[in-house]
Amino acid sequence: MPDEDRTLSPYTGYTRAHWEAAADSLLAAVAPYATENGALYHLPGAHTSWSGRLSDGLEGYARTLLLAAFRRDEKALERYADGLAAGTAGVWPRVEDRSQPLVEAASIALALRLTRPLLWDRLDDGVRQRAAAWLGDALTAEPWACNWELFPVTVGGFLAEVGHEPEASRAAIDRGLERIEEWYVGDGWYTDGPGRAFDYYNGWAMHLYPVLHAWLADDPRLLDLYGGRLSRHLADYARLFGGDGAPMRQGRSLTYRFATTAPLWLGALTGRTPLSPGETRRLASGALRHFLDRGAVDERGLLTLGWHGPDETVLQGYSGPASPYWASKAFVGLLLPPDHEVWTAREEPGPTDRADAVTPVGPPNWLLQTTTSDGLVRLHNHGSEDVRYDPYYTRLGYSTATAPSTSYDNSVIVGDDPSRTDIEPLGAGDGWVASRHTAGGGARVVNLVVARGAVEVRAHLVAGADPGTPVRVTGWPEDDGVHAELLPAHNLLDSAGVTGPDATLFVALARLTGEPDPLPLTESVSVKVEREEGQGEYDVRVSWPSGPSTCFRFRASDGRPSASSWSVKPR
C-alpha cells in the first residue's frame, strides 16, 4: 500500500491511491485461480456452497469481474473477455429460477454495462450473441422474493441498452422495480422482502441496483425517485460505522465486509447524499482500512470466508470460496474521477467522531447509541427479524465491536427457550425504543431500552407464562477491547428471576464500553419501579444524574393483563 497521507486524510490515512492499490492487489491475487479458459475462478478452501463447485467457480468469475469493471483495468478485462467467450460456450450453468447463476448474471451484466467500450464493444459478434442469450434467461427467471428481484432489473438494463430483446428487457426492469415498491417503508428504508428484514442489504442491494440503473440509463425521473430515497437512507446509514471504521455486525452475509461502503460512494457518484465529500471518504476508507488491518486478506492476498480473518460462524449455506468478493461493490467509488471532490477534499469527521448520540431510526424501529470516547456504535433492535438467519436479526442488540454469541447475548430467555419471534415495534423516541415479541412457551415480552451515553436501562415485561417460570436476561458479550456489564435493578438476582401470577417486570442496567475506567453503573442512572395494584400497570422512572427524568408506563391496552395486549409508552 502507498504511504499514509495524514494531511488529506487525517482519520484514515487513505487516499484514492490506496483504493486503487487494494483493487489491484485483489485482482492480482485471484488471477492464478482462473481455469485455463478463464471462465471459472476456483478459489481455494474446503467450504463449498450449497449450489456446488461449478456455480462457485462462476461466482468467482462474476464477482471479480465486477471489481475489474469498477477499476476499469483494461489488462484484467482482456482476461475476463476470454472467460466470457468460454463461459457462454457451454461452461457456465444456465440461469434458472431461484438459482445462484441469476445472482452472478447481474454482476456480469453490470460489469459489461459499466465497461461497454472497453469490453463488450470489442467482442466478436458470436461471443456477444452467446453472452446476450445466456444473460437473457435472467429476464424471465423467477427470483426469490427479496433483493434478488433486482437481478433481472440489472440484466434487463444492460440488454436493453445493447438492443437484445428490448421488450422482454423492459418488462423485467418494470416488474422488478414494481415488486420492490411493496417493501419500501419510507424514510429511505426497504425491507429485504416480505416481513421485517432490515440490515445493510438496504444500502448495497436495495438502493445500489435501482440507483445505478437510473444513473446509467440517464433517467432523471428514476434517479430523482431512487436517488432521493438513497439520500434519506444515508442520513441513518452513516451512523452505522464505528470510530475504528467497523460496520455494524448485524445481518447475514457479513463476509462481504466493506461492501457496506457502496451506498456511501453511490451517493457521491449521483449527487444524492446528505454527506460532505470528506465525510463520505472518511467513512468508506475507514471501513476498508478496518478490514485490511485486521486480517481480512490472507497471505496469498485472498479475501477469506469470515469477518476479520477466517470465521465459519458468519457464513450461510450460500457462502462459497468466492462469496467474499461481493466486497467488490465497495470500489464503485473508483467510477468517480481522481479530481472529484470526494477524492480531493480533506477527510471530515463522521457521526461517531462528532458527538455522543442516541438516535431513533423509525422504519426498522432501531435505536442507535454512539459514544465518541471509544468509537462504539450499539444498535438496539426492536423491529428487525428474520428467523432464517438468527442470530443475525433477532437479538435485542448488536454493535460495531461485538459478534452475536452462541450463548444468546442480548436476549430474554423464558424457561429455557431463547427464541424471539413475531417482533412488533412499539415505537422509538428521544433516547428510548420499545417492542413486543413472542418468547418461549408462547409468552409475550414487552421490551424497553432507555439509553444515554454508554448506559442502558433495559425493562422486560413477561406476560402469559406460567407462574414460577424462570426468566434470564442477558446483556452484551465480551470482546477484545470492550467491557460488558449487566446489573439487576428489579425482580432479578444477578441476571435471573421467575414470573409471578400476573405479568412480571424485570429491569436491568447494562453497558458496553471501551473506556478503561467508567463511572460505576449504579452512579450513572437510577431506576424506580412502581406497580398500581389491580390496574395491571407498571411505571418505570429513569433518572440521569445530569439530565432528564422520564417515566414509562407498561399497561394492558384493554385494561386487562392479557399476554397479547401489553404495551409501553413514555408518560
Side-chain angles (χ1 to χ4, degrees):
M1 296 289 279
D3 292 338
E4 293 182 356
D5 185 338
R6 291 289 174 175
T7 301
L8 185 63
S9 302
Y11 288 90
T12 71
Y14 273 23
T15 64
R16 182 186 174 94
H18 294 82
W19 281 85
E20 292 174 339
D24 293 342
S25 177
L26 291 170
L27 284 170
V30 300
Y33 299 97
T35 53
E36 186 175 356
N37 58 18
L40 303 169
Y41 281 66
H42 289 303
L43 301 186
H47 195 283
T48 301
S49 80
W50 56 29
S51 297
R53 190 169 186 270
L54 179 60
S55 178
D56 289 350
L58 169 61
E59 184 174 78
Y61 172 91
R63 299 189 179 193
T64 57
L65 166 61
L66 191 59
L67 176 57
F70 287 137
R71 181 66 176 100
R72 301 185 72 79
D73 184 332
E74 293 193 47
K75 186 175 181 181
L77 289 173
E78 289 178 4
R79 299 197 303 268
Y80 286 96
D82 294 338
L84 186 70
T88 57
V91 174
W92 291 345
R94 287 193 61 184
V95 177
E96 298 176 329
D97 292 349
R98 302 184 180 92
S99 67
Q100 189 64 32
L102 175 58
V103 183
E104 309 318 321
S107 289
I108 293 170
L110 179 56
L112 292 172
R113 194 175 186 186
L114 289 167
T115 61
R116 185 175 170 185
L118 303 177
L119 179 50
W120 181 262
D121 292 348
R122 298 178 183 180
L123 296 172
D124 293 340
D125 286 342
V127 176
R128 285 201 295 261
Q129 290 172 11
R130 292 200 311 271
W134 184 84
L135 290 169
D137 286 342
L139 300 177
T140 54
E142 185 63 28
W144 292 107
C146 61
N147 65 85
W148 279 47
E149 296 281 7
L150 292 167
F151 301 143
V153 172
T154 304
V155 174
F158 170 66
L159 291 181
E161 184 177 288
V162 298
H164 180 80
E165 297 189 25
E167 291 186 7
S169 296
R170 185 72 251 171
I173 295 168
D174 293 344
R175 182 173 61 251
L177 295 181
E178 181 180 345
R179 286 181 176 177
I180 69 167
E181 285 303 300
E182 302 172 19
W183 306 325
Y184 184 67
V185 294
D187 290 341
W189 284 88
Y190 295 87
T191 63
D192 188 15
R196 297 190 57 83
F198 295 101
D199 67 4
Y200 50 81
Y201 268 90
N202 260 271
W204 50 258
M206 305 304 291
H207 285 288
L208 179 71
Y209 293 110
V211 173
L212 267 182
H213 168 69
W215 180 72
L216 288 167
D218 195 21
D219 187 323
R221 183 188 67 81
L222 285 183
L223 192 54
D224 284 345
L225 174 64
Y226 296 119
R229 291 177 179 179
L230 171 65
S231 182
R232 175 61 188 87
H233 182 69
L234 288 173
D236 294 329
Y237 193 83
R239 296 182 177 277
L240 296 173
F241 294 85
D244 63 353
M248 185 60 59
R249 208 180 308 191
Q250 177 263 346
R252 69 192 191 282
S253 302
L254 293 175
T255 194
Y256 302 160
R257 297 180 173 103
F258 41 85
T260 54
T261 67
L264 302 170
W265 294 121
L266 187 62
L269 180 68
T270 59
R272 267 68 176 185
T273 180
L275 311 177
S276 70
E279 184 179 2
T280 295
R281 195 174 78 254
R282 183 270 180 271
L283 294 172
S285 292
L288 178 64
R289 178 156 197 168
H290 176 85
F291 288 108
L292 295 185
D293 283 354
R294 289 167 175 81
V297 175
D298 68 14
E299 67 281 356
R300 297 163 295 191
L302 299 174
L303 286 170
T304 59
L305 279 164
W307 179 248
H308 291 145
D311 183 356
E312 292 269 337
T313 67
V314 304
L315 305 183
Q316 283 73 48
Y318 54 76
S319 302
S323 290
Y325 285 85
W326 244 7
S328 298
K329 293 180 178 182
F331 294 89
V332 66
L334 293 180
L335 296 179
L336 291 156
D339 60 354
H340 189 280
E341 59 184 348
V342 80
W343 294 117
T344 61
R346 192 170 189 264
E347 282 184 348
E348 297 179 9
T352 310
D353 305 314
R354 294 195 293 262
D356 288 4
V358 181
T359 308
V361 183
N365 207 55
W366 288 349
L367 191 70
L368 303 181
Q369 181 185 12
T370 300
T371 45
T372 59
S373 60
D374 53 14
L376 294 186
V377 184
R378 309 143 190 89
L379 186 162
H380 298 285
N381 171 34
H382 289 254
S384 183
E385 175 183 13
D386 192 334
V387 294
R388 297 172 300 172
Y389 303 108
D390 179 70
Y392 303 103
Y393 287 86
T394 59
R395 300 289 169 86
L396 285 159
Y398 298 89
S399 84
T400 55
T402 60
S405 71
T406 55
S407 59
Y408 286 93
D409 62 282
N410 289 298
S411 298
V412 179
I413 303 171
V414 179
D416 59 357
D417 189 341
S419 62
R420 184 184 182 214
T421 59
D422 304 319
I423 298 173
E424 180 184 350
L426 295 176
D430 185 12
W432 67 273
V433 65
S435 64
R436 184 164 51 211
H437 73 268
T438 299
R444 291 289 281 173
V445 182
V446 179
N447 308 282
L448 168 71
V449 169
V450 187
R452 184 178 175 88
V455 178
E456 309 158 29
V457 176
R458 299 186 178 192
H460 310 283
L461 186 138
V462 179
D466 291 336
T469 299
V471 173
R472 185 161 61 91
V473 175
T474 63
W476 295 102
E478 293 281 356
D479 213 321
D480 292 342
V482 294
H483 176 58
E485 298 174 79
L486 187 76
L487 296 179
H490 182 75
N491 272 343
L492 291 170
L493 181 62
D494 291 329
S495 62
V498 295
T499 57
D502 300 314
T504 308
L505 184 69
F506 304 92
V507 184
L509 310 181
R511 177 164 54 194
L512 178 71
T513 183
E515 291 189 25
D517 189 25
L519 189 71
L521 265 179
T522 52
E523 298 177 23
S524 302
V525 65
S526 65
V527 179
K528 183 178 181 180
V529 178
E530 295 180 348
R531 184 174 187 187
E532 296 188 22
E533 294 297 334
Q535 300 298 313
E537 297 180 347
Y538 287 91
D539 282 347
V540 178
R541 182 168 294 279
V542 178
S543 301
W544 307 98
S546 58
S549 176
T550 308
C551 187
F552 297 84
R553 170 158 289 184
F554 289 77
R555 65 188 181 197
S557 59
D558 61 357
R560 301 175 59 194
S562 62
S564 62
S565 60
W566 281 92
S567 63
V568 59
K569 284 287 184 182
R571 289 183 59 191

